[in-house]
Amino acid sequence: MAKIEICSLKLYSLIAELENMNEKSFRAKQVYEWLHKKNKWDFNEMTNLSKDLRNKLNESFFITEGTIAEKLTSDDNTSKYLFRLSNNSIIESVLMKHTFGNSVCVSSQAGCNMGCAFCYSTKDGKERDLTTGEMLLQVYKIQEDLGERISHVVIMGSGEPLENYENCLNFIEILSSKEGLNISQRHITLSTCGLVDKIYNLADRKLQINLALSLHASNDEMRKHIMPIARAYSMEEIFKACDYYAEKTGRRITYEYALMKGINDGEKTASELVKRLKGRLCHVNLIPVNETEDKKFERPSQKTIKEFADILEKSGVATTIRREMGSSINAACGQLRGRYTRENE
Ligand code: SAH
């Protein structure tokens, strides 16, 4: 029989598995705490279990594989980690040290299929979905490396999380479980390019996580130009789904908006955005685009960015300009993974 990936199991599933092996449920809780609270991913280190049980676990389960292949730190408290997973998949995660806590940006897929024109992660398409264990591994290994608690997690690395829906939800539930790291769901953010059906599903789960929607445009024509997903769903459909999410959860939506010179940064665009967002439970996060090598997408001037933000703010749309972090270490979406896989081919 094929072994089961133990790090991807929620507590109740682990209890069921161990009961099948005639083990008491408190044993499952002990194993779960080793994995998800103490983050010891080695059966031999689970010292309060008998040798016999550890052998049994080894026979039925396997532990998710993954090691830090490279780490780069920039001077602004941002580190980028490259992980090597099973099948030699390479993924990247980012640690950001904020005043409010340590935040990790995790990848949900190796590569991505969404095809956004300005994004590095999608250049070579999707290799595969990550398992729940592979998403947890990113947080646990970074926490261990840092030696400090991770308090915030954003699912905003490579990949489209709502395309890897069940694994992402499992990840969130394990991460926020009290027998695990117990990270508050209010400190977890999932970012999507807007898979509308899945947003409704997520809303009905009534989690307390924050939803970030990558909008990047003020109308469908503009959005189609840079994001293929816009051909599948209109912005009106997205807004409806996001309003539903906000209504069900009481959580305000974050609209991510990467400002790209000459593409989506004009005053008319800002006014159009205001018309569409005013009155909604949301705020806008403006991000000066991380420039691509071919210079197809360039950052607007500070003046343009400020003017764009002012139009939104003055019209009552809450807006923040994201502080750039880590651009000196290729922390922009998929840049480092792309470089690493090209150099090591
Ligand atoms: N697929 C999900 C999550 C991964 S992308 C999503 O689309 O939201 C994480 C965020 O980074 C998204 O808002 C994405 O649009 C943005 N992003 C991608 N490439 C970027 C770039 N070059 N500059 C700025 N933001 C970028």
Side-chain angles (χ1 to χ4, degrees):
M1 227 174 57
K3 289 189 183 184
I4 299 171
E5 188 188 15
I6 196 167
C7 312
S8 290
L9 296 180
K10 276 195 277 226
L11 180 56
Y12 71 81
S13 309
L14 191 58
I15 290 174
E17 291 290 341
L18 261 66
E19 276 175 353
N20 276 339
M21 295 160 61
N22 293 321
E23 292 289 340
K24 300 232 162 51
S25 64
F26 81 92
R27 289 286 174 211
K29 199 168 162 226
Q30 285 178 323
V31 175
Y32 187 93
E33 286 186 347
W34 278 114
L35 295 172
H36 301 295
K37 188 172 265 174
K38 300 176 195 155
N39 307 143
K40 284 276 177 273
W41 281 25
D42 181 345
F43 293 127
N44 292 327
E45 290 190 48
M46 302 183 179
T47 45
N48 58 356
L49 308 181
S50 69
K51 189 107 207 294
D52 182 46
L53 176 56
R54 281 186 263 154
N55 287 341
K56 265 164 62 180
L57 292 172
N58 248 323
E59 278 159 26
S60 306
F61 302 103
F62 74 93
I63 292 201
T64 312
E65 280 174 45
T67 50
I68 297 173
E70 196 174 314
K71 177 186 169 187
L72 290 172
T73 300
S74 73
D75 50 12
D76 57 2
N77 289 332
T78 301
S79 304
K80 183 119 192 178
Y81 290 80
L82 277 182
F83 288 97
R84 183 184 299 283
L85 305 176
S86 61
N87 304 325
N88 275 329
S89 292
I90 297 287
I91 56 151
E92 56 182 54
S93 326
V94 182
L95 164 70
M96 290 158 287
K97 298 182 80 178
H98 298 287
T99 46
F100 56 77
N102 297 314
S103 175
V104 170
C105 172
V106 300
S107 291
S108 57
Q109 297 176 322
C112 182
N113 253 348
M114 295 295 118
C116 299
F118 47 87
C119 180
Y120 276 87
S121 303
T122 196
K123 291 250 178 298
D124 300 319
K126 180 176 91 174
E127 190 185 321
R128 65 179 177 88
D129 285 338
L130 299 188
T131 66
T132 302
E134 288 171 328
M135 279 185 266
L136 291 167
L137 177 141
Q138 300 170 55
V139 180
Y140 297 172
K141 296 252 175 194
I142 290 177
Q143 178 166 278
E144 186 186 24
D145 185 62
L146 179 68
E148 285 175 27
R149 178 176 161 77
I150 302 298
S151 55
H152 292 67
V153 170
V154 296
I155 311 173
M156 236 183 232
S158 301
E160 171 46 51
L162 294 186
E163 216 195 47
N164 187 14
Y165 184 77
E166 285 306 330
N167 287 336
C168 281
L169 284 188
N170 240 340
F171 165 70
I172 291 163
E173 283 169 5
I174 293 178
L175 204 58
S176 58
S177 63
K178 67 175 190 312
E179 300 84 2
L181 283 192
N182 199 11
I183 296 181
S184 160
Q185 288 191 357
R186 289 169 174 260
H187 291 176
I188 300 175
T189 301
L190 182 149
S191 177
T192 175
C193 63
L195 306 189
V196 166
D197 304 346
K198 291 285 171 20
I199 294 175
Y200 283 106
N201 287 346
L202 191 64
D204 288 334
R205 298 281 280 248
K206 293 202 185 131
L207 301 174
Q208 280 299 297
I209 62 165
N210 307 301
L211 183 65
L213 195 295
S214 300
L215 197 61
H216 308 320
S218 62
N219 62 55
D220 286 322
E221 276 321 298
M222 191 187 291
R223 199 162 188 263
K224 279 181 198 161
H225 183 62
I226 48 177
M227 299 176 74
I229 192 69
R231 294 186 213 129
Y233 301 106
S234 69
M235 281 173 58
E236 269 320 303
E237 288 174 292
I238 289 178
F239 291 140
K240 246 177 94 180
C242 287
D243 288 347
Y244 182 78
Y245 186 90
E247 189 189 302
K248 281 274 161 172
T249 61
R251 311 289 296 153
R252 149 178 112 144
I253 305 291
T254 299
Y255 287 104
E256 303 279 342
Y257 196 101
L259 280 164
M260 307 169 205
K261 187 171 162 183
I263 295 176
N264 65 359
D265 64 343
E267 283 172 30
K268 274 201 188 125
T269 302
S271 304
E272 188 172 34
L273 196 59
V274 166
K275 277 201 202 104
R276 308 196 74 164
L277 294 183
K278 209 173 152 97
R280 299 198 130 100
L281 185 60
C282 70
H283 84 285
V284 174
N285 194 7
L286 295 175
I287 313 142
V289 74
N290 278 303
E291 298 189 350
T292 51
E293 276 159 24
D294 57 15
K295 295 275 170 200
K296 263 198 196 146
F297 299 95
E298 289 182 289
R299 199 166 294 160
S301 66
Q302 280 305 326
K303 184 167 165 278
T304 307
I305 295 171
K306 177 86 177 42
E307 281 166 3
F308 196 95
D310 281 348
I311 295 174
L312 266 59
E313 276 286 351
K314 287 200 179 111
S315 317
V317 176
T319 305
T320 46
I321 301 175
R322 192 197 284 171
R323 194 160 60 89
E324 261 180 272
M325 292 180 94
S327 49
S328 65
I329 50 162
N330 297 125
C333 326
Q335 278 184 341
L336 189 62
R337 172 178 186 265
R339 204 208 71 210
Y340 188 90
T341 40
R342 275 196 301 276
E343 281 171 7
N344 291 277
E345 258 162 8

